[in-house]
Amino acid sequence: MSSFNKAIAFSFMGKYLGIVMQFGSMIILTRILSPTDYGIYTIAIVFVMIANILRDFGVTNYLIKEETLTNEKLRSAFSLMIIISTLVGAALFFSASFVADFYNEKKLVLMLQLLSFNIFISPFGSIITTTLRRDLHFKPIVLVGIASKVVSISTMIWFAYQGAQELTLVYGAITFSFFNFLFIQLYRPKNLPLLPGIGKIKEILNYAKYVSAASIIGELGSKSRDLIVGKHFDMESVGQLDRAGNTAGLFDRLITEGLNPVLTPYISRITREKQDLAPKLKKLTKIQLSIAWPFYAMLAIIAEPAVVVLYGEQWLIAATYLQIICIGSIVSSPFKPINAIFLGIGFAKQVMKIQIVLNLLQILVVLFFVTYGIVTMLWAMTLIVGMVRTVIYLHMIKKYLAISVTEFLSWMLKPVQTTLLVITPVFALLYAVNSNWRDSLALLMVSIFISLLIWLKSIWHQELGILIKPMVISLYNKKIRRIH
């Protein structure tokens, strides 16, 4: 198996195991914590995510894309991470009261101050993780992530039953960061310098400023709806919207977050070796869409039963939001890998420009339509931002990757066929019972299982099947050898 396939396998394995654990804990926690608890934490974690992007400042992308990593470059990157993390962590700690006053929610003060601890310790683990990613060594990253998540989930469940409310999620985040930092030290590369340096800081900043700006704008754009809804409505509304977004975001955690950590260094290697990118993008697009579109289409159809069964009746409002978000995700799915590919090529400036346009547009759309209600706002985001995103990315793909619009769209025919086949059993059942799914829950589960079988049969001879067949055969042969 190639190093890329091994990296993909370990990355996805880590994500899947982590998601299974997180999903199990979520089913427990959403029945103990209220939508308001999740809403307050959502506002806090948005600011922490922005702080995390600032403290990284594009340094990890610089280390991954750089053709030759010298000792001096590594030391300078480490120094830059420490300096920025200290400044950003302090800024988050001391600005907590201002954020709390803006949202009229005093609980945010302690939450943000506790979460700033994660920013301070992050450089000492992220420099190790980045060098492992660059070399496509994902096994230690996966092992560390799983071990840290086990401790974090155990901590959250314990605090939830102790009545810690919204602080339950804060303690879980801190526990995960601390143990991730602690465990990753066991896999520190021998050639990674211990001491910081300053020789290449200017060179790193010249590249990293574009990646950092793009990431910050991207985060603000993606989280603008939560921040603005929190100001215009209440924390329960934020919690319901966040639950819908997190449920739809399951695909990103299953696929995109498993793929992108491998994709950028892989594309960077292909670029250094002067290989043709078009065949790689074609394969990645078909693989992603053959999973993404059936997933989002199915989730949109079963939004209400999925939300009620998983989280309970108190989250029912989230089902309406979930349907619209899934439709928006179907529109954006073809372009999910593009930013990671452009970063791997070294087009950080182009990525920044795309992010600026799309996310400023999204913020403006949210600001304008939020007064008409959350449902109207979500539809406006789906239609307006989705259309503009499609036009921009098709232009960028044609300009920088020399792939025509017709050729790119032709890659989507098989995934469309697969999606229509997959959703048919469930759609037919819900139509037959007039959406009265509570009295037909067993039949609904059977139809979902039939849809899963149809999906497996459909993708087996497509690009995704071709990718996983060698892994399945290899595992089967190893099992046979053990038996004999």
Side-chain angles (χ1 to χ4, degrees), residues 14 112 133 139 183 186 188 200 219 228 243 289 321 339 353 388 393 407 450 467 484:
L112 289 169
R133 277 184 57 201
K139 184 177 179 179
F183 294 152
L186 300 173
R188 183 185 185 91
K200 294 291 182 179
E219 192 64 39
I228 295 169
R243 178 58 42 226
L289 294 183
Y321 304 156
N339 280 350
K353 290 179 179 179
V388 174
Y393 275 114
E407 182 183 0
I450 292 171
L467 176 66
H484 293 288

Side-chain angles (χ1 to χ4, degrees), residues 419-473:
T419 302
L420 293 174
L421 287 171
V422 166
I423 65 173
T424 298
V426 176
F427 183 82
L429 174 68
L430 291 177
Y431 181 80
V433 300
N434 197 24
S435 299
N436 190 19
W437 61 269
R438 285 177 174 83
D439 294 333
S440 310
L441 189 56
L443 286 175
L444 179 60
M445 297 301 295
V446 171
S447 65
I448 292 173
F449 180 71
I450 292 171
S451 292
L452 177 61
L453 294 178
I454 292 172
W455 177 75
L456 290 171
K457 179 67 169 62
S458 298
I459 61 97
W460 190 247
H461 298 293
Q462 297 178 27
E463 279 75 6
L464 180 58
I466 294 169
L467 176 66
I468 64 177
K469 277 178 190 177
M471 302 179 195
V472 174
I473 292 170

Side-chain angles (χ1 to χ4, degrees), residues 271-334:
T271 304
R272 292 195 297 267
E273 295 172 355
K274 312 298 183 187
Q275 297 182 39
D276 185 10
L277 276 176
K280 310 294 182 184
L281 179 58
K282 179 180 180 180
K283 182 178 180 180
L284 287 167
T285 301
K286 287 188 172 184
I287 288 173
Q288 177 162 312
L289 294 183
S290 67
I291 307 172
W293 281 352
F295 174 84
Y296 288 127
M298 178 69 71
L299 192 55
I301 293 171
I302 63 167
E304 184 177 309
V307 167
V308 172
V309 170
L310 291 174
Y311 312 128
E313 294 285 349
Q314 64 174 333
W315 295 96
L316 187 58
I317 297 172
T320 301
Y321 304 156
L322 177 58
Q323 290 178 318
I324 307 170
I325 293 171
C326 284
I327 293 170
S329 298
I330 289 172
V331 176
S332 64
S333 289

